[in-house]
Every structure is written in structure tokens, then in C-alpha cells.
Amino acid sequence: MRAGPMLKGGRFIALIAGLALGFSAAAQFPNKPIRIVVPYSPGGPLEVWVRPVAEHLSTALKQPVVMDNRPGAGTTIGAAAVAQAPADGHALFLNASSYLINAQLMQNLPYDPQKDLVPVTLAASTAHVLVAYPGLGIASFKEFLAAAKAKGKALSYASFGNGSSGHLAFELLKKTYGFEMLHVPYKGVPQAATDVMGGRLHSMIIDLSGAVAHVKGGKLTGLAIASEARSHLMPELPTFEEASGTRFISRSWFGFMVRAGTPPDIQRVLNQEIVQALRRPELKDRLRESGIDTYGTTPGEFAAFMKSESDRFADAIKFSGTKFE
């Protein structure tokens, strides 16, 4: 008869102990420098917004916050560095679509993508833009679609890597609109864009933030933007829905994750401070002028977003038959 009340009391005591442990962990956090592990080479466009976030965290948490660049192996080196770090919140992983794509295409990853890292917040994104070599003489998406359906794999498209978000976005574009083209993968955006501008390839999907200067300079022809609305940076560029009557949304995005097992109160501190940094009007306005949107979501919202993106990439992988060599 007394077992029930005693059990409830035990659970209550365990709950209080857990809360005390969480508050204790948060009170002691951070007690050393924080690393933002960036799985790309230093000096890239991500630094435009990651550095201001790091500076805000450093001021708010009263500890140095450094960017730790760990490029290579399709971002898996950076992910593994955080997955293998102590679960104390002092290492953040800057993840992107590649984290989800790798989980579907790579075997024997040095971490479990389903268990080892947990979301903190969706941070930023930039819409995808379909561009073409100006020498093609194509001025609209309808003209592009007609040429692609007529010529098929006689026309080519570049991507910034086999299995990259740009590659899979183009595969979904092909599926959505019913055409074929020859895929030519590169090891990064600069070389791919250079070869499209030079006419060695005919088209590609590129981030808005990287497309603006080339389109305005006449080196690439902008055909459509894969967003819900036109961008103020290129107001003349229609959305895919405006250009064709069929909706097509795609973007490159970035967010923060930490090692699973990090105390919930520490996760909350990181979420609150990163979100506060991302919502600062001066940062949002500056990035908007670069074609980058900032967010600052709850961990749950970020988890739901990643699930949706993972399903989208799975569809593209199945359609295209993409495999890593």
C-alpha cells in the first residue's frame, strides 16, 4: 500500500536532483573557450555571419569563442570532431545539408548522425538560383525548359560536388519539370561557376549570395529563384512559380548542433544567446544585403526542418541514383 507513494517520492527526488545538476552545469558554463567547428576552409563566405555570432557569444558568456576550421571528407571531419568532444557545450558544430546527405550516401561514418549530435538552432540560409551561360541566348526559364526538353543531355549542368545540395537541388528540378541534362560535378563553387561563365558547361544552381555579382555583371544569366518571393537584390528575377506556374523551393542552409548528452540547461543557454545574436537588426539587415536570411529557431523547430530536408534529399537521391564513389 505504501509502495506507490514511496515510488512517487523517489521520482520526485530524482527529478529535483536532475534539475539541480542541470542548473549546476549551466552555472559553471562556460568554464573554458568555446569552439565553433566549421567544416570548411577558413576565409569562406560563412564568416560574414558566423564571426558576429561568435563575438556576441564571447561577450555574453565571458569566454573566448573561436572558429575552428576542420575541412575535408564532405564535412564529416568537422562533425566527428564535435561528436567525439566532451558533452559539455564547449564545442558547436556548424552543420548544413551535407550532414543529412552524408547520412544517406556514406557508409561507416565516424559518428552516428542519428544519435551523436543534437540541434541547437537553424541559423541562416540563402535561396538557390538557376543560372545559365549567357552565350546560350536563353533569357527565361520557359526558354531554358524548352531547350532542355529538346536537347536533353546535349546540355550540361555543373554542381559544386556529387551529392552536394546544388547537385540534388538540380536533380529535383529535373524531376519537377520533366527534363534531362548531363551532370558534371566539381570540387567547389568557384571552379563550377567559372566553367559555366566560360561556356564549358551550360547551367548550374548557385546560392543567391554568390549569384548576384555574376548576374548583374552579365557573366551569368539569372533564370529563376527557388524561393517563395522575389529577392530585393534582383527584383527582376522571377520565382520558379511565377516563371512556370509550378512551385519549386530550395536553398542552402546552416545551423548549430552540439554533442548529444550536453545538459539541457547548457543547450538552452547556447540557443538563447545564438538566437539573440541572429536577431540583432544590424546583423539581419547587413546579411540581407548579401542575400542571406537569418533565423534563430527552437531546437524542436530545427529538428523538424532537418527531417523535412532529409526527406527531400532522399527523394532526390532515389530519383537520380546518386552514389558516392
Side-chain angles (χ1 to χ4, degrees):
M1 294 294 292
R2 293 180 181 177
M6 288 179 66
L7 183 59
K8 290 180 180 177
R11 286 177 177 167
F12 178 74
I13 291 171
L15 175 62
I16 294 299
L19 289 172
L21 180 62
F23 287 130
S24 175
Q28 296 172 15
F29 175 80
N31 55 32
K32 60 184 178 181
I34 294 173
R35 294 181 299 138
I36 297 178
V37 177
V38 180
Y40 307 102
S41 300
L46 290 176
E47 294 189 13
V48 172
W49 65 267
V50 179
R51 285 199 180 279
V53 170
E55 290 166 2
H56 173 88
L57 285 175
S58 181
T59 300
L61 301 178
K62 298 179 174 56
Q63 281 284 352
V65 179
V66 298
M67 291 177 63
D68 182 4
N69 294 91
R70 300 287 187 98
T75 74
T76 61
I77 291 175
V82 177
Q84 295 162 10
D88 59 8
H90 290 88
L92 285 157
F93 176 56
L94 182 69
N95 81 319
S97 54
S98 54
Y99 181 77
L100 306 179
I101 295 167
N102 292 342
Q104 299 186 48
L105 288 178
M106 290 187 175
Q107 296 181 345
N108 302 317
L109 287 169
Y111 55 88
D112 187 334
Q114 303 299 325
K115 297 179 180 179
D116 290 348
L117 297 173
V118 294
V120 175
T121 186
L122 175 63
S125 78
T126 180
H128 284 154
V129 175
L130 176 64
V131 295
Y133 168 54
L136 277 179
I138 289 174
S140 70
F141 179 61
K142 283 189 176 180
E143 292 178 7
F144 172 86
L145 200 53
K149 288 185 175 182
K151 299 182 179 180
K153 290 190 175 182
L155 295 178
S156 59
Y157 79 91
S159 78
F160 40 92
N162 190 41
S164 66
S165 63
H167 170 211
L168 296 183
F170 209 106
E171 290 298 317
L172 288 175
L173 190 75
K174 288 163 50 180
K175 180 181 179 184
T176 300
Y177 295 100
F179 67 91
E180 284 293 331
M181 288 181 76
L182 177 67
H183 173 222
V184 181
Y186 286 77
K187 291 186 178 180
V189 176
Q191 187 181 1
T194 296
D195 277 7
V196 176
M197 287 186 276
R200 285 176 284 279
L201 284 89
H202 301 111
S203 63
M204 71 179 295
I205 278 180
I206 189 172
D207 293 347
L208 170 64
S209 55
V212 175
H214 296 317
V215 172
K216 288 189 173 181
K219 294 180 179 180
L220 291 171
T221 300
L223 299 175
I225 185 170
S227 58
E228 296 84 356
R230 297 191 184 206
S231 168
H232 71 288
L233 297 177
M234 292 192 289
E236 72 286 353
L237 188 67
T239 66
F240 278 95
E241 188 168 12
E242 289 175 325
S244 67
T246 300
R247 185 181 176 90
F248 183 77
I249 306 295
S250 185
R251 62 187 70 243
S252 293
W253 53 265
F254 304 92
F256 291 98
M257 304 183 83
V258 291
R259 170 81 182 271
T262 299
D265 285 318
I266 291 178
Q267 294 185 44
R268 278 193 286 273
V269 168
L270 289 169
N271 174 270
Q272 289 167 4
E273 294 301 338
I274 294 172
V275 168
Q276 186 174 337
L278 292 169
R279 290 181 178 176
R280 289 165 56 189
E282 63 271 23
L283 180 61
K284 289 184 73 71
D285 292 345
R286 178 154 58 90
L287 294 180
R288 187 170 177 267
E289 293 308 311
S290 301
I292 299 170
D293 296 318
T294 55
Y295 300 97
T297 67
T298 66
E301 289 169 338
F302 188 23
F305 172 80
M306 285 196 291
K307 175 63 169 63
S308 174
E309 285 289 279
S310 184
D311 292 345
R312 191 170 72 93
F313 292 132
D315 187 27
I317 290 168
K318 182 178 179 181
F319 170 75
S320 64
T322 301
K323 294 181 180 178
F324 279 156
E325 298 292 334

